[in-house]
Amino acid sequence: MQNVKKHFLILLLMVVFSNLTIISCSDDKSENTTKSSEKKILSFLLEQYVPAISGTIDENLKTITATIPEDGDITAVTPTVTISAKAAVTPKSGTSVDFTNPVTYVVTAEDGSQATYTVTISVNGSSVTSPEELSGSMSENTVLKDRWDGVDYVITDMFYIEGNALLTIEPGVKIAFANVNSGIEVGENAGLKMVGTAEKPIILTGPVNNDNKGSWYGVEIRSARSDNQFEYVQFINGGSNYDYAVVNVDPDASLSIKNCIVDGSLGYGIATYGAASKFTGFANNTVKKCDDSPIYIEDLSHAGVFDSTNTFAENGKNYIMVMNADLNENLEIKNPSIPYYIAQYFVYANTTLTIDKGVTLYFNAELGIDIAESTGKLIVNGTDAEPVIFTRLPGETYYWSGIYVRSDIGNDINYAIFEYAGNVDDEGIFWLSSEGAVTLNNVALTHSKNYGVSMSDTSSVDATDVIFEDCASGNIYNYDTEEVSESF
């Protein structure tokens, strides 16, 4: 009988314990329905040193600083990072990290939200113990000097140059931008002068542990000061906004940029906005690894500074993007080594437009060049070895409008290829008004949707070695008589 009672008590206790466990699990489950948003670095210890070195955490600025002994190896520091419960950190705690430049630590909370800390470690005994932090704005003339071999300055957000201030950055300076929103903006009356040398270039880059395109915003110029000069400056992995460029010249602003490198962008490399913005100099630059075009210009008039001294490589779109093209001053277009793409508006030549040998012009659908009556002139200086090419975007099937000749004051076309134009019914790749006159020398008119040339009884064409090929409606159309001819 005692054994029965004993077994009964054991069974009863097991049932009670099981129920308590179920209740406890249920309670735990209900408590975990809301995920934690805590994402702080609570401590940052360098335990490889004795005594351990504790980093100074500024929670407001999200920065951490520490100094290691003079004989310490800054390229292999192994921090122990304590963070909020249920959060994760990258780089992970206990990972050896190179702190030659500031490093970004990202803390991810349980709910997926993130906080970013910029960690700077310097070496004790150096004349400079850490980069100088720049934030906010400056309104007085300032010079940034080459302070040491590492990063000289860290810009944590957008840094504004205001008033009439001039920021001068000397050769050898290296600036690290802390995140995708950090950059430099030059106000309407302010200036930015960055002149390095081949031996000591100025370097603008993102966080040391983010070598991806778009790791910082870029530089924006809003003023037309003559001391806006960039020479021997390297812009590394800027362009975080794919609608803009790493170097942006705003409406009415100007910039001279020579011997510079733009390496990496989620958008464009260098851009102008507004017809009145301009480059006062542009030579010996390299623009590469931009997801969009290396150059964006708001107006074709800005193209006068480009030539073959510049290098464009590994860009997503292998042409210079052109939006507007209303020419009121004479313009000479040299060969920049990549094509131009006329993307949005007709080219209206109210003055003389000269196109040098080797230039290629892509036109979007229904666009072309309109030579104004009395004042407009088109001169094309191609050669047998380097003809000028007028065509559509490669791989497309549309037709562009063509060349409208309304003037008779010296339109002279030499060694050129015109193809895939004649988009408008009863018009050709060339359309001449009754007063229009043009000289065609060694010109190929091919793959027209309609005619090669449309002209009036009173139009004038002086033709030498003109080739027609695959003009769907015929070679030459007289719209006065509605007659089609094979040759002039």
Side-chain angles (χ1 to χ4, degrees):
M1 186 68 179
Q2 272 189 325
N3 285 338
V4 173
K5 287 183 179 180
K6 184 177 180 181
H7 287 301
F8 176 79
L9 286 173
I10 291 173
L11 180 61
L12 181 61
L13 286 172
M14 289 176 65
V15 170
V16 171
F17 179 79
S18 175
N19 287 338
L20 287 173
T21 302
I22 292 170
I23 292 170
S24 175
C25 290
S26 176
D27 288 344
D28 286 346
K29 185 175 181 180
S30 64
E31 289 174 1
N32 288 331
T33 55
T34 302
K35 293 184 177 181
S36 173
S37 62
E38 288 296 313
K39 46 187 176 292
K40 292 182 179 181
I41 291 181
L42 304 176
S43 68
F44 193 91
L45 287 176
L46 309 182
E47 295 181 314
Q48 66 196 96
Y49 298 100
V50 181
I53 297 171
S54 180
T56 301
I57 302 174
D58 188 320
E59 188 59 38
N60 292 324
L61 295 177
K62 292 290 189 293
T63 59
I64 301 173
T65 56
T67 302
I68 63 176
E70 187 174 356
D71 59 354
D73 183 3
I74 201 168
T75 67
V77 180
T78 308
T80 300
V81 186
T82 305
I83 57 176
S84 303
K86 301 180 182 179
V89 64
T90 304
K92 292 181 178 180
S93 177
T95 301
S96 180
V97 178
D98 182 352
F99 281 94
T100 303
N101 300 318
V103 174
T104 298
Y105 274 69
V106 179
V107 183
T108 304
E110 185 187 25
D111 66 359
S113 58
Q114 293 183 328
T116 300
Y117 292 77
T118 300
V119 182
T120 304
I121 295 180
S122 55
V123 180
N124 190 28
S126 171
S127 58
V128 175
T129 59
S130 65
E132 181 179 328
E133 186 177 295
L134 301 176
S135 61
S137 64
M138 54 158 280
S139 55
E140 296 182 354
N141 292 347
T142 302
V143 177
L144 299 185
K145 296 183 177 295
D146 183 9
R147 302 168 66 241
W148 64 331
D149 291 337
V151 170
D152 298 291
Y153 305 91
V154 174
I155 293 181
T156 58
D157 211 325
M158 190 63 71
F159 184 65
Y160 299 92
I161 309 172
E162 298 180 338
N164 295 311
L166 172 66
L167 176 61
T168 301
I169 300 178
E170 294 190 340
V173 168
K174 187 172 185 179
I175 299 175
F177 295 85
N179 55 64
V180 296
N181 297 313
S182 56
I184 298 175
E185 182 176 310
V186 181
E188 293 180 0
N189 298 305
L192 176 58
K193 184 175 182 178
M194 298 193 290
V195 178
T197 66
E199 296 75 23
K200 298 184 69 175
I202 296 166
I203 298 175
L204 279 62
T205 187
V208 67
N209 60 331
N210 185 353
D211 59 357
N212 298 308
K213 299 175 186 179
S215 62
W216 59 286
Y217 182 83
V219 177
E220 191 163 351
I221 306 293
R222 296 184 178 274
S223 73
R225 287 177 55 151
S226 60
D227 41 18
N228 288 331
Q229 299 175 35
F230 298 171
E231 295 186 24
Y232 292 102
V233 183
Q234 298 179 12
F235 302 85
I236 311 299
N237 288 329
S240 60
N241 188 329
Y242 61 85
D243 287 328
Y244 293 94
V246 178
V247 178
N248 300 278
V249 184
D250 282 7
D252 302 314
S254 63
L255 171 68
S256 174
I257 179 166
K258 299 178 180 179
N259 300 297
C260 291
I261 297 173
V262 176
D263 186 352
S265 172
L266 294 180
Y268 304 102
I270 302 172
T272 63
Y273 305 97
S277 60
K278 63 180 180 180
F279 296 112
T280 55
F282 195 104
N284 299 306
N285 299 302
T286 297
V287 187
K288 61 183 181 178
K289 298 180 182 178
C290 300
D291 284 357
D292 213 300
S293 298
I295 304 290
Y296 171 106
I297 52 177
E298 189 77 17
D299 197 89
L300 186 60
S301 62
H302 305 162
V305 298
F306 303 136
D307 58 29
S308 59
T309 65
N310 302 289
T311 300
F312 306 104
E314 302 176 70
N315 297 294
K317 297 179 179 178
N318 189 42
Y319 48 73
I320 295 173
M321 177 78 76
V322 182
M323 301 308 290
N324 301 307
D326 195 356
L327 301 178
N328 296 304
E329 295 182 359
N330 294 345
L331 173 65
E332 180 180 3
I333 299 179
K334 301 180 181 68
N335 182 9
S337 75
I338 59 172
Y340 290 91
Y341 174 42
I342 311 302
Q344 190 166 355
Y345 294 101
F346 239 91
V347 177
Y348 290 100
N350 300 302
T351 54
T352 300
L353 172 60
T354 302
I355 304 176
D356 286 349
K357 63 182 181 180
V359 171
T360 296
L361 294 169
Y362 297 152
F363 292 87
N364 201 353
E366 302 181 2
L367 301 183
I369 300 178
D370 196 329
I371 318 273
E373 183 179 352
S374 302
T375 60
K377 182 191 299 186
L378 176 62
I379 299 174
V380 177
N381 293 324
T383 66
D384 188 21
E386 297 183 83
V388 176
I389 300 173
F390 300 75
T391 187
R392 65 191 178 192
L393 276 175
E396 296 290 347
T397 59
Y398 64 79
Y399 292 86
W400 56 286
S401 287
I403 311 296
Y404 289 68
V405 181
R406 304 181 191 275
S407 76
D408 61 353
I409 57 172
N411 298 298
D412 191 14
I413 316 297
N414 297 280
Y415 290 96
I417 298 169
F418 298 84
E419 58 185 14
Y420 303 110
N423 183 56
V424 181
D425 290 345
D426 295 333
E427 294 184 2
I429 295 176
F430 272 84
W431 178 90
L432 281 75
S433 71
S434 57
E435 294 82 18
V438 65
T439 297
L440 302 176
N441 175 38
N442 286 281
V443 171
L445 304 173
T446 71
H447 307 297
S448 172
K449 185 180 180 182
N450 290 293
Y451 302 100
V453 175
S454 296
M455 58 187 295
S456 162
D457 269 342
T458 57
S459 305
S460 176
V461 178
D462 183 1
T464 304
D465 294 327
V466 176
I467 297 172
F468 295 92
E469 181 184 343
D470 189 29
C471 296
S473 299
N475 293 345
I476 303 165
Y477 175 67
N478 186 316
Y479 54 78
D480 286 338
T481 65
E482 298 186 354
E483 294 178 342
V484 178
S485 304
E486 290 300 307
S487 60
F488 293 106

